[in-house]
mmCIF file of all heavy atoms in Angstrom:
data_model
loop_
_atom_site.group_PDB
_atom_site.id
_atom_site.type_symbol
_atom_site.label_atom_id
_atom_site.label_comp_id
_atom_site.label_asym_id
_atom_site.label_seq_id
_atom_site.Cartn_x
_atom_site.Cartn_y
_atom_site.Cartn_z
ATOM 1 N N LEU A 1 0.821 -1.216 -0.006
ATOM 2 C CA LEU A 1 -0.002 -0.010 -0.011
ATOM 3 C C LEU A 1 0.857 1.267 -0.007
ATOM 4 O O LEU A 1 0.443 2.306 0.528
ATOM 5 C CB LEU A 1 -0.909 0.008 1.238
ATOM 6 C CG LEU A 1 -1.948 -1.116 1.305
ATOM 7 C CD1 LEU A 1 -2.553 -1.190 2.711
ATOM 8 C CD2 LEU A 1 -3.045 -0.901 0.247
ATOM 9 N N LYS A 2 2.046 1.213 -0.593
ATOM 10 C CA LYS A 2 2.933 2.364 -0.597
ATOM 11 C C LYS A 2 2.298 3.582 -1.178
ATOM 12 O O LYS A 2 2.443 4.726 -0.667
ATOM 13 C CB LYS A 2 4.225 2.028 -1.349
ATOM 14 C CG LYS A 2 5.235 3.193 -1.372
ATOM 15 C CD LYS A 2 6.498 2.837 -2.162
ATOM 16 C CE LYS A 2 7.442 4.026 -2.189
ATOM 17 N NZ LYS A 2 8.659 3.715 -2.960
ATOM 18 N N ASP A 3 1.541 3.446 -2.265
ATOM 19 C CA ASP A 3 0.912 4.569 -2.950
ATOM 20 C C ASP A 3 -0.300 5.131 -2.207
ATOM 21 O O ASP A 3 -0.902 6.087 -2.648
ATOM 22 C CB ASP A 3 0.509 4.175 -4.376
ATOM 23 C CG ASP A 3 1.716 3.834 -5.247
ATOM 24 O OD1 ASP A 3 2.817 4.326 -4.934
ATOM 25 O OD2 ASP A 3 1.548 3.050 -6.204
ATOM 26 N N HIS A 4 -0.635 4.521 -1.078
ATOM 27 C CA HIS A 4 -1.788 4.978 -0.311
ATOM 28 C C HIS A 4 -1.398 5.884 0.844
ATOM 29 O O HIS A 4 -2.227 6.267 1.644
ATOM 30 C CB HIS A 4 -2.553 3.757 0.247
ATOM 31 C CG HIS A 4 -3.262 2.976 -0.813
ATOM 32 N ND1 HIS A 4 -4.632 2.892 -0.907
ATOM 33 C CD2 HIS A 4 -2.774 2.240 -1.858
ATOM 34 C CE1 HIS A 4 -4.968 2.117 -1.933
ATOM 35 N NE2 HIS A 4 -3.868 1.704 -2.506
ATOM 36 N N VAL A 5 -0.108 6.253 0.905
ATOM 37 C CA VAL A 5 0.365 7.131 1.945
ATOM 38 C C VAL A 5 0.702 8.495 1.332
ATOM 39 O O VAL A 5 1.483 8.600 0.393
ATOM 40 C CB VAL A 5 1.643 6.584 2.642
ATOM 41 C CG1 VAL A 5 2.123 7.554 3.715
ATOM 42 C CG2 VAL A 5 1.368 5.209 3.243
ATOM 43 N N LEU A 6 0.126 9.550 1.883
ATOM 44 C CA LEU A 6 0.387 10.917 1.427
ATOM 45 C C LEU A 6 1.197 11.641 2.513
ATOM 46 O O LEU A 6 0.774 11.702 3.678
ATOM 47 C CB LEU A 6 -0.918 11.660 1.168
ATOM 48 C CG LEU A 6 -0.798 13.175 0.811
ATOM 49 C CD1 LEU A 6 -0.030 13.351 -0.492
ATOM 50 C CD2 LEU A 6 -2.185 13.782 0.719
ATOM 51 N N ILE A 7 2.350 12.182 2.127
ATOM 52 C CA ILE A 7 3.199 12.924 3.075
ATOM 53 C C ILE A 7 2.925 14.412 2.863
ATOM 54 O O ILE A 7 3.054 14.935 1.765
ATOM 55 C CB ILE A 7 4.681 12.649 2.846
ATOM 56 C CG1 ILE A 7 4.944 11.136 2.814
ATOM 57 C CG2 ILE A 7 5.537 13.329 3.912
ATOM 58 C CD1 ILE A 7 4.578 10.399 4.052
ATOM 59 N N LYS A 8 2.583 15.092 3.938
ATOM 60 C CA LYS A 8 2.312 16.539 3.892
ATOM 61 C C LYS A 8 3.219 17.238 4.868
ATOM 62 O O LYS A 8 3.088 17.101 6.092
ATOM 63 C CB LYS A 8 0.836 16.778 4.254
ATOM 64 C CG LYS A 8 0.404 18.230 4.181
ATOM 65 C CD LYS A 8 0.178 18.707 2.775
ATOM 66 C CE LYS A 8 -0.492 20.069 2.730
ATOM 67 N NZ LYS A 8 -0.604 20.619 1.373
ATOM 68 N N ALA A 9 4.214 18.014 4.339
ATOM 69 C CA ALA A 9 5.203 18.673 5.181
ATOM 70 C C ALA A 9 4.988 20.181 5.154
ATOM 71 O O ALA A 9 4.584 20.753 4.163
ATOM 72 C CB ALA A 9 6.606 18.337 4.688
ATOM 73 N N ALA A 10 5.282 20.800 6.289
ATOM 74 C CA ALA A 10 5.229 22.267 6.381
ATOM 75 C C ALA A 10 6.359 22.855 5.571
ATOM 76 O O ALA A 10 7.376 22.233 5.266
ATOM 77 C CB ALA A 10 5.335 22.699 7.839
ATOM 78 N N ASP A 11 6.187 24.107 5.166
ATOM 79 C CA ASP A 11 7.183 24.803 4.404
ATOM 80 C C ASP A 11 8.464 24.988 5.197
ATOM 81 O O ASP A 11 8.423 25.216 6.397
ATOM 82 C CB ASP A 11 6.639 26.187 3.960
ATOM 83 C CG ASP A 11 7.540 26.844 2.931
ATOM 84 O OD1 ASP A 11 7.358 26.619 1.714
ATOM 85 O OD2 ASP A 11 8.428 27.610 3.350
ATOM 86 N N GLU A 12 9.608 24.938 4.499
ATOM 87 C CA GLU A 12 10.929 25.054 5.173
ATOM 88 C C GLU A 12 11.062 26.381 5.912
ATOM 89 O O GLU A 12 11.831 26.480 6.883
ATOM 90 C CB GLU A 12 12.067 24.910 4.136
ATOM 91 C CG GLU A 12 12.214 23.511 3.616
ATOM 92 C CD GLU A 12 13.476 23.344 2.788
ATOM 93 O OE1 GLU A 12 14.333 24.262 2.840
ATOM 94 O OE2 GLU A 12 13.582 22.324 2.059
ATOM 95 N N GLU A 13 10.327 27.387 5.486
ATOM 96 C CA GLU A 13 10.394 28.701 6.122
ATOM 97 C C GLU A 13 10.001 28.597 7.613
ATOM 98 O O GLU A 13 10.494 29.384 8.451
ATOM 99 C CB GLU A 13 9.460 29.676 5.401
ATOM 100 C CG GLU A 13 9.432 31.090 5.969
ATOM 101 C CD GLU A 13 10.786 31.797 5.818
ATOM 102 O OE1 GLU A 13 11.555 31.428 4.897
ATOM 103 O OE2 GLU A 13 11.051 32.707 6.615
ATOM 104 N N MET A 14 9.197 27.626 7.955
ATOM 105 C CA MET A 14 8.764 27.474 9.332
ATOM 106 C C MET A 14 9.931 27.212 10.281
ATOM 107 O O MET A 14 9.892 27.608 11.450
ATOM 108 C CB MET A 14 7.705 26.362 9.455
ATOM 109 C CG MET A 14 6.427 26.617 8.721
ATOM 110 S SD MET A 14 5.555 28.089 9.345
ATOM 111 C CE MET A 14 5.101 27.550 10.981
ATOM 112 N N ASP A 15 10.965 26.503 9.803
ATOM 113 C CA ASP A 15 12.104 26.211 10.649
ATOM 114 C C ASP A 15 13.048 27.398 10.792
ATOM 115 O O ASP A 15 13.976 27.360 11.608
ATOM 116 C CB ASP A 15 12.898 25.008 10.096
ATOM 117 C CG ASP A 15 12.495 23.715 10.776
ATOM 118 O OD1 ASP A 15 11.715 23.776 11.758
ATOM 119 O OD2 ASP A 15 12.973 22.653 10.366
ATOM 120 N N ARG A 16 12.847 28.444 9.976
ATOM 121 C CA ARG A 16 13.693 29.610 10.084
ATOM 122 C C ARG A 16 13.078 30.696 10.955
ATOM 123 O O ARG A 16 13.663 31.734 11.209
ATOM 124 C CB ARG A 16 13.984 30.175 8.684
ATOM 125 C CG ARG A 16 14.941 29.285 7.865
ATOM 126 C CD ARG A 16 15.385 29.992 6.583
ATOM 127 N NE ARG A 16 14.355 29.942 5.559
ATOM 128 C CZ ARG A 16 14.257 28.995 4.666
ATOM 129 N NH1 ARG A 16 15.093 27.990 4.687
ATOM 130 N NH2 ARG A 16 13.330 29.009 3.742
ATOM 131 N N LYS A 17 11.843 30.445 11.426
ATOM 132 C CA LYS A 17 11.202 31.370 12.343
ATOM 133 C C LYS A 17 11.429 30.946 13.788
ATOM 134 O O LYS A 17 11.561 29.757 14.065
ATOM 135 C CB LYS A 17 9.675 31.395 12.043
ATOM 136 C CG LYS A 17 9.313 31.922 10.682
ATOM 137 C CD LYS A 17 7.806 31.882 10.499
ATOM 138 C CE LYS A 17 7.369 32.403 9.127
ATOM 139 N NZ LYS A 17 5.902 32.318 8.928
ATOM 140 N N ASN A 18 11.476 31.926 14.675
ATOM 141 C CA ASN A 18 11.553 31.581 16.069
ATOM 142 C C ASN A 18 10.282 30.886 16.504
ATOM 143 O O ASN A 18 9.185 31.429 16.322
ATOM 144 C CB ASN A 18 11.743 32.843 16.936
ATOM 145 C CG ASN A 18 13.150 33.384 16.812
ATOM 146 O OD1 ASN A 18 14.080 32.682 16.431
ATOM 147 N ND2 ASN A 18 13.300 34.659 17.132
ATOM 148 N N PRO A 19 10.410 29.635 17.015
ATOM 149 C CA PRO A 19 9.183 28.895 17.363
ATOM 150 C C PRO A 19 8.403 29.527 18.514
ATOM 151 O O PRO A 19 8.985 30.131 19.411
ATOM 152 C CB PRO A 19 9.732 27.509 17.750
ATOM 153 C CG PRO A 19 11.142 27.768 18.171
ATOM 154 C CD PRO A 19 11.616 28.911 17.356
ATOM 155 N N ARG A 20 7.094 29.370 18.457
ATOM 156 C CA ARG A 20 6.214 29.805 19.530
ATOM 157 C C ARG A 20 5.672 28.560 20.236
ATOM 158 O O ARG A 20 5.858 27.445 19.753
ATOM 159 C CB ARG A 20 5.041 30.625 18.994
ATOM 160 C CG ARG A 20 5.481 31.806 18.125
ATOM 161 C CD ARG A 20 4.311 32.656 17.660
ATOM 162 N NE ARG A 20 3.023 31.937 17.569
ATOM 163 C CZ ARG A 20 1.920 32.465 17.022
ATOM 164 N NH1 ARG A 20 1.966 33.687 16.524
ATOM 165 N NH2 ARG A 20 0.799 31.780 17.000
ATOM 166 N N MET A 21 5.028 28.790 21.356
ATOM 167 C CA MET A 21 4.438 27.649 22.094
ATOM 168 C C MET A 21 3.490 26.823 21.232
ATOM 169 O O MET A 21 3.360 25.626 21.412
ATOM 170 C CB MET A 21 3.748 28.143 23.341
ATOM 171 C CG MET A 21 4.685 28.696 24.422
ATOM 172 S SD MET A 21 5.828 27.469 25.091
ATOM 173 C CE MET A 21 4.680 26.370 25.920
ATOM 174 N N ASP A 22 2.820 27.493 20.299
ATOM 175 C CA ASP A 22 1.786 26.819 19.517
ATOM 176 C C ASP A 22 2.229 26.521 18.078
ATOM 177 O O ASP A 22 1.405 26.169 17.238
ATOM 178 C CB ASP A 22 0.486 27.639 19.493
ATOM 179 C CG ASP A 22 0.704 29.041 18.896
ATOM 180 O OD1 ASP A 22 1.857 29.398 18.606
ATOM 181 O OD2 ASP A 22 -0.290 29.768 18.725
ATOM 182 N N SER A 23 3.532 26.640 17.780
ATOM 183 C CA SER A 23 4.007 26.476 16.406
ATOM 184 C C SER A 23 3.658 25.118 15.821
ATOM 185 O O SER A 23 3.127 25.004 14.702
ATOM 186 C CB SER A 23 5.514 26.712 16.315
ATOM 187 O OG SER A 23 5.856 28.050 16.547
ATOM 188 N N GLU A 24 3.961 24.041 16.541
ATOM 189 C CA GLU A 24 3.708 22.712 16.014
ATOM 190 C C GLU A 24 2.202 22.420 15.929
ATOM 191 O O GLU A 24 1.745 21.770 15.000
ATOM 192 C CB GLU A 24 4.451 21.657 16.852
ATOM 193 C CG GLU A 24 5.951 21.744 16.719
ATOM 194 C CD GLU A 24 6.675 20.759 17.589
ATOM 195 O OE1 GLU A 24 6.194 20.486 18.717
ATOM 196 O OE2 GLU A 24 7.755 20.261 17.192
ATOM 197 N N TYR A 25 1.473 22.898 16.935
ATOM 198 C CA TYR A 25 0.024 22.737 16.903
ATOM 199 C C TYR A 25 -0.557 23.416 15.655
ATOM 200 O O TYR A 25 -1.384 22.826 14.938
ATOM 201 C CB TYR A 25 -0.590 23.350 18.161
ATOM 202 C CG TYR A 25 -2.083 23.557 18.076
ATOM 203 C CD1 TYR A 25 -2.975 22.508 18.378
ATOM 204 C CD2 TYR A 25 -2.617 24.777 17.656
ATOM 205 C CE1 TYR A 25 -4.357 22.674 18.273
ATOM 206 C CE2 TYR A 25 -3.987 24.961 17.564
ATOM 207 C CZ TYR A 25 -4.858 23.917 17.860
ATOM 208 O OH TYR A 25 -6.226 24.103 17.758
ATOM 209 N N LEU A 26 -0.131 24.675 15.389
ATOM 210 C CA LEU A 26 -0.638 25.395 14.225
ATOM 211 C C LEU A 26 -0.232 24.716 12.909
ATOM 212 O O LEU A 26 -1.029 24.716 11.956
ATOM 213 C CB LEU A 26 -0.115 26.833 14.256
ATOM 214 C CG LEU A 26 -0.701 27.724 15.337
ATOM 215 C CD1 LEU A 26 0.004 29.084 15.345
ATOM 216 C CD2 LEU A 26 -2.180 27.900 15.150
ATOM 217 N N MET A 27 0.959 24.139 12.852
ATOM 218 C CA MET A 27 1.357 23.398 11.641
ATOM 219 C C MET A 27 0.418 22.235 11.432
ATOM 220 O O MET A 27 -0.025 21.987 10.298
ATOM 221 C CB MET A 27 2.809 22.902 11.786
ATOM 222 C CG MET A 27 3.842 23.959 11.413
ATOM 223 S SD MET A 27 5.518 23.248 11.283
ATOM 224 C CE MET A 27 6.042 23.374 12.979
ATOM 225 N N GLY A 28 0.121 21.484 12.473
ATOM 226 C CA GLY A 28 -0.784 20.348 12.335
ATOM 227 C C GLY A 28 -2.170 20.773 11.901
ATOM 228 O O GLY A 28 -2.798 20.115 11.042
ATOM 229 N N PHE A 29 -2.658 21.872 12.482
ATOM 230 C CA PHE A 29 -3.979 22.384 12.153
ATOM 231 C C PHE A 29 -4.021 22.859 10.679
ATOM 232 O O PHE A 29 -4.917 22.506 9.907
ATOM 233 C CB PHE A 29 -4.345 23.573 13.061
ATOM 234 C CG PHE A 29 -5.729 24.092 12.878
ATOM 235 C CD1 PHE A 29 -6.791 23.602 13.601
ATOM 236 C CD2 PHE A 29 -5.971 25.067 11.918
ATOM 237 C CE1 PHE A 29 -8.076 24.089 13.430
ATOM 238 C CE2 PHE A 29 -7.253 25.570 11.722
ATOM 239 C CZ PHE A 29 -8.313 25.070 12.475
ATOM 240 N N GLN A 30 -2.980 23.614 10.270
ATOM 241 C CA GLN A 30 -2.965 24.170 8.908
ATOM 242 C C GLN A 30 -2.839 23.095 7.861
ATOM 243 O O GLN A 30 -3.546 23.089 6.835
ATOM 244 C CB GLN A 30 -1.811 25.163 8.780
ATOM 245 C CG GLN A 30 -1.704 25.799 7.410
ATOM 246 C CD GLN A 30 -0.555 26.775 7.309
ATOM 247 O OE1 GLN A 30 0.027 27.182 8.303
ATOM 248 N NE2 GLN A 30 -0.186 27.149 6.081
ATOM 249 N N LEU A 31 -1.912 22.142 8.082
ATOM 250 C CA LEU A 31 -1.690 21.074 7.077
ATOM 251 C C LEU A 31 -2.926 20.213 6.916
ATOM 252 O O LEU A 31 -3.308 19.861 5.793
ATOM 253 C CB LEU A 31 -0.482 20.196 7.499
ATOM 254 C CG LEU A 31 0.878 20.877 7.479
ATOM 255 C CD1 LEU A 31 1.911 19.931 8.017
ATOM 256 C CD2 LEU A 31 1.252 21.320 6.053
ATOM 257 N N THR A 32 -3.619 19.903 7.991
ATOM 258 C CA THR A 32 -4.845 19.076 7.922
ATOM 259 C C THR A 32 -5.954 19.857 7.226
ATOM 260 O O THR A 32 -6.691 19.297 6.404
ATOM 261 C CB THR A 32 -5.282 18.638 9.323
ATOM 262 O OG1 THR A 32 -4.182 17.967 9.961
ATOM 263 C CG2 THR A 32 -6.458 17.695 9.248
ATOM 264 N N THR A 33 -6.070 21.134 7.546
ATOM 265 C CA THR A 33 -7.082 21.981 6.880
ATOM 266 C C THR A 33 -6.845 22.037 5.388
ATOM 267 O O THR A 33 -7.806 21.946 4.578
ATOM 268 C CB THR A 33 -7.054 23.410 7.462
ATOM 269 O OG1 THR A 33 -7.345 23.342 8.878
ATOM 270 C CG2 THR A 33 -8.032 24.308 6.785
ATOM 271 N N GLU A 34 -5.589 22.176 4.988
ATOM 272 C CA GLU A 34 -5.252 22.206 3.558
ATOM 273 C C GLU A 34 -5.663 20.906 2.868
ATOM 274 O O GLU A 34 -6.184 20.907 1.727
ATOM 275 C CB GLU A 34 -3.758 22.469 3.363
ATOM 276 C CG GLU A 34 -3.338 23.907 3.705
ATOM 277 C CD GLU A 34 -1.837 24.095 3.626
ATOM 278 O OE1 GLU A 34 -1.127 23.125 3.250
ATOM 279 O OE2 GLU A 34 -1.362 25.197 3.947
ATOM 280 N N LEU A 35 -5.384 19.777 3.507
ATOM 281 C CA LEU A 35 -5.740 18.479 2.949
ATOM 282 C C LEU A 35 -7.243 18.371 2.740
ATOM 283 O O LEU A 35 -7.730 17.866 1.712
ATOM 284 C CB LEU A 35 -5.257 17.353 3.856
ATOM 285 C CG LEU A 35 -3.745 17.125 3.902
ATOM 286 C CD1 LEU A 35 -3.377 16.277 5.111
ATOM 287 C CD2 LEU A 35 -3.275 16.440 2.613
ATOM 288 N N LEU A 36 -8.018 18.832 3.720
ATOM 289 C CA LEU A 36 -9.475 18.801 3.601
ATOM 290 C C LEU A 36 -9.961 19.711 2.493
ATOM 291 O O LEU A 36 -10.874 19.360 1.717
ATOM 292 C CB LEU A 36 -10.099 19.181 4.942
ATOM 293 C CG LEU A 36 -9.854 18.225 6.121
ATOM 294 C CD1 LEU A 36 -10.353 18.844 7.417
ATOM 295 C CD2 LEU A 36 -10.500 16.867 5.860
ATOM 296 N N GLU A 37 -9.387 20.919 2.412
ATOM 297 C CA GLU A 37 -9.806 21.872 1.381
ATOM 298 C C GLU A 37 -9.464 21.373 -0.036
ATOM 299 O O GLU A 37 -10.149 21.709 -1.003
ATOM 300 C CB GLU A 37 -9.123 23.208 1.616
ATOM 301 C CG GLU A 37 -9.683 23.950 2.866
ATOM 302 C CD GLU A 37 -8.907 25.223 3.159
ATOM 303 O OE1 GLU A 37 -7.808 25.394 2.571
ATOM 304 O OE2 GLU A 37 -9.395 26.030 3.972
ATOM 305 N N GLN A 38 -8.403 20.556 -0.128
ATOM 306 C CA GLN A 38 -8.013 19.997 -1.410
ATOM 307 C C GLN A 38 -8.845 18.757 -1.785
ATOM 308 O O GLN A 38 -8.659 18.185 -2.868
ATOM 309 C CB GLN A 38 -6.520 19.614 -1.390
ATOM 310 C CG GLN A 38 -5.594 20.825 -1.264
ATOM 311 C CD GLN A 38 -4.165 20.438 -0.891
ATOM 312 O OE1 GLN A 38 -3.839 19.243 -0.733
ATOM 313 N NE2 GLN A 38 -3.331 21.441 -0.703
ATOM 314 N N GLY A 39 -9.726 18.354 -0.884
ATOM 315 C CA GLY A 39 -10.598 17.244 -1.157
ATOM 316 C C GLY A 39 -9.930 15.879 -1.034
ATOM 317 O O GLY A 39 -10.438 14.885 -1.574
ATOM 318 N N LYS A 40 -8.804 15.817 -0.312
ATOM 319 C CA LYS A 40 -8.134 14.526 -0.151
ATOM 320 C C LYS A 40 -8.969 13.585 0.715
ATOM 321 O O LYS A 40 -9.580 14.012 1.678
ATOM 322 C CB LYS A 40 -6.746 14.729 0.509
ATOM 323 C CG LYS A 40 -5.822 15.674 -0.231
ATOM 324 C CD LYS A 40 -5.429 15.136 -1.609
ATOM 325 C CE LYS A 40 -4.457 16.082 -2.287
ATOM 326 N NZ LYS A 40 -4.072 15.565 -3.647
ATOM 327 N N LYS A 41 -8.985 12.336 0.354
ATOM 328 C CA LYS A 41 -9.737 11.341 1.079
ATOM 329 C C LYS A 41 -8.768 10.458 1.885
ATOM 330 O O LYS A 41 -7.793 9.895 1.347
ATOM 331 C CB LYS A 41 -10.558 10.466 0.115
ATOM 332 C CG LYS A 41 -11.593 11.238 -0.666
ATOM 333 C CD LYS A 41 -12.623 11.880 0.252
ATOM 334 C CE LYS A 41 -13.649 12.661 -0.529
ATOM 335 N NZ LYS A 41 -14.626 13.332 0.346
ATOM 336 N N PHE A 42 -9.026 10.347 3.162
ATOM 337 C CA PHE A 42 -8.167 9.534 4.026
ATOM 338 C C PHE A 42 -8.981 9.139 5.248
ATOM 339 O O PHE A 42 -9.947 9.806 5.623
ATOM 340 C CB PHE A 42 -6.908 10.310 4.423
ATOM 341 C CG PHE A 42 -7.217 11.694 4.963
ATOM 342 C CD1 PHE A 42 -7.484 11.931 6.280
ATOM 343 C CD2 PHE A 42 -7.203 12.789 4.074
ATOM 344 C CE1 PHE A 42 -7.748 13.206 6.757
ATOM 345 C CE2 PHE A 42 -7.473 14.083 4.545
ATOM 346 C CZ PHE A 42 -7.746 14.273 5.887
ATOM 347 N N THR A 43 -8.561 8.050 5.851
ATOM 348 C CA THR A 43 -9.269 7.579 7.048
ATOM 349 C C THR A 43 -8.416 7.718 8.302
ATOM 350 O O THR A 43 -8.887 7.391 9.399
ATOM 351 C CB THR A 43 -9.695 6.104 6.907
ATOM 352 O OG1 THR A 43 -8.530 5.289 6.761
ATOM 353 C CG2 THR A 43 -10.610 5.938 5.708
ATOM 354 N N ALA A 44 -7.171 8.151 8.136
ATOM 355 C CA ALA A 44 -6.306 8.313 9.312
ATOM 356 C C ALA A 44 -5.253 9.385 9.044
ATOM 357 O O ALA A 44 -4.782 9.570 7.917
ATOM 358 C CB ALA A 44 -5.628 6.999 9.676
ATOM 359 N N VAL A 45 -4.875 10.079 10.139
ATOM 360 C CA VAL A 45 -3.800 11.075 10.102
ATOM 361 C C VAL A 45 -2.735 10.664 11.127
ATOM 362 O O VAL A 45 -3.062 10.370 12.289
ATOM 363 C CB VAL A 45 -4.282 12.480 10.431
ATOM 364 C CG1 VAL A 45 -3.145 13.467 10.474
ATOM 365 C CG2 VAL A 45 -5.351 12.927 9.443
ATOM 366 N N ALA A 46 -1.481 10.630 10.700
ATOM 367 C CA ALA A 46 -0.356 10.361 11.614
ATOM 368 C C ALA A 46 0.424 11.663 11.745
ATOM 369 O O ALA A 46 0.805 12.262 10.733
ATOM 370 C CB ALA A 46 0.532 9.254 11.082
ATOM 371 N N GLY A 47 0.670 12.102 12.978
ATOM 372 C CA GLY A 47 1.424 13.317 13.201
ATOM 373 C C GLY A 47 2.867 12.974 13.604
ATOM 374 O O GLY A 47 3.080 12.037 14.383
#
């Protein structure tokens, strides 16, 4: 099932910013929102 895994990574610019307490949380929220808006179909998310 190799082709059934979609990797979604945050932009490299995120590592060049000073992290905030909620940086990783916001990345998870934003990346998942983008996947939903793009109409991707999946039954599980791994963080």
Side-chain angles (χ1 to χ4, degrees):
L1 297 166
K2 180 181 179 180
D3 295 335
H4 290 247
V5 180
L6 175 63
I7 310 300
K8 182 77 169 174
D11 190 88
E12 290 188 14
E13 181 65 25
M14 295 298 294
D15 263 354
R16 288 190 282 270
K17 296 178 180 178
N18 286 339
R20 306 183 333 188
M21 290 296 294
D22 59 354
S23 291
E24 291 177 327
Y25 166 85
L26 289 174
M27 277 190 273
F29 185 92
Q30 180 181 345
L31 293 175
T32 305
T33 299
E34 289 175 2
L35 288 164
L36 294 172
E37 290 175 346
Q38 293 165 4
K40 303 295 183 181
K41 298 298 180 183
F42 49 88
T43 63
V45 176

